[in-house]
Amino acid sequence: MVEVTVTPQSSLADRPVQIRVWGLSPSQLVTLRAWLKDEQGECFQSRTFFRADKAGEVDPGLHAALGGSYSGVWPMGLFWFLQPDTLFRRLVKRDVAGSPFRVRLEVFDGLSMGTDPREQPLGSCEAERWYVGPGVQRVPIREGRVRGALFLPP
């Protein structure tokens, strides 16, 4: 049974997380995909190809991606290289205090480009990426032509 984990599962968006896949065959070629839908329903995704180590594990912080959205060792690459399905869209979080981005992580056997909607992942999990910590207060600022927000710690 293949498992994908993100540790911690819920974190602030600027904090690193550890992604691990285990339960694979040694040297198995897999595709790791991250995707989310923004507040307007637009899909953003990244996908990279990895070869499992001798223990049947993949850790993007230790193992080099062979290609896809990026190559090389990038522990947070699946989050940093999210691209829109629709050209010229930007990933922007408008409701920073009310809800997180929920990023879905999936692992597929072999090189998967995601063109077949019937293709089932070997394993998946979900990570929450928050933009405001617990207890932080958001105060809107409107002074003359200045507009902004002040975030006050608890």
Side-chain angles (χ1 to χ4, degrees):
M1 182 168 150
V2 176
E3 289 196 47
V4 182
T5 60
V6 176
T7 308
Q9 184 270 333
S10 182
S11 64
L12 291 173
D14 64 346
R15 300 285 190 242
V17 295
Q18 181 184 27
I19 301 168
R20 275 192 62 220
V21 181
W22 71 87
L24 301 167
S25 301
S27 299
Q28 182 177 353
L29 189 62
V30 295
T31 300
L32 202 51
R33 173 184 178 226
W35 66 275
L36 65 85
K37 286 196 177 187
D38 71 3
E39 293 157 330
Q40 283 74 44
E42 287 292 327
C43 188
F44 291 77
Q45 63 179 317
S46 63
R47 75 179 68 240
T48 53
F49 314 122
F50 290 93
R51 187 166 300 281
D53 64 12
K54 293 176 186 173
E57 296 182 6
V58 170
D59 181 343
L62 300 174
H63 304 116
L66 305 174
S69 298
Y70 66 93
S71 59
V73 178
W74 291 80
M76 296 294 295
L78 286 164
F79 294 95
W80 292 341
F81 291 95
L82 288 165
Q83 294 294 315
D85 285 354
T86 305
L87 291 176
F88 308 114
R89 297 291 185 159
R90 290 183 33 183
L91 184 58
V92 176
K93 184 70 171 141
R94 303 250 183 247
D95 180 17
V96 294
S99 65
F101 272 141
R102 297 183 194 285
V103 183
R104 188 87 180 150
L105 296 159
E106 300 171 328
V107 62
F108 295 92
D109 187 31
L111 300 177
S112 170
M113 297 309 291
T115 56
D116 185 0
R118 296 170 295 166
E119 188 175 22
Q120 294 296 312
L122 299 173
S124 65
C125 71
E126 189 173 85
E128 290 182 348
R129 303 295 281 171
W130 289 89
Y131 283 78
V132 175
V136 173
Q137 181 183 2
R138 181 181 188 274
V139 179
I141 304 294
R142 292 180 185 270
E143 186 67 37
R145 296 186 330 181
V146 175
R147 301 288 184 264
L150 174 63
F151 292 89
L152 298 171

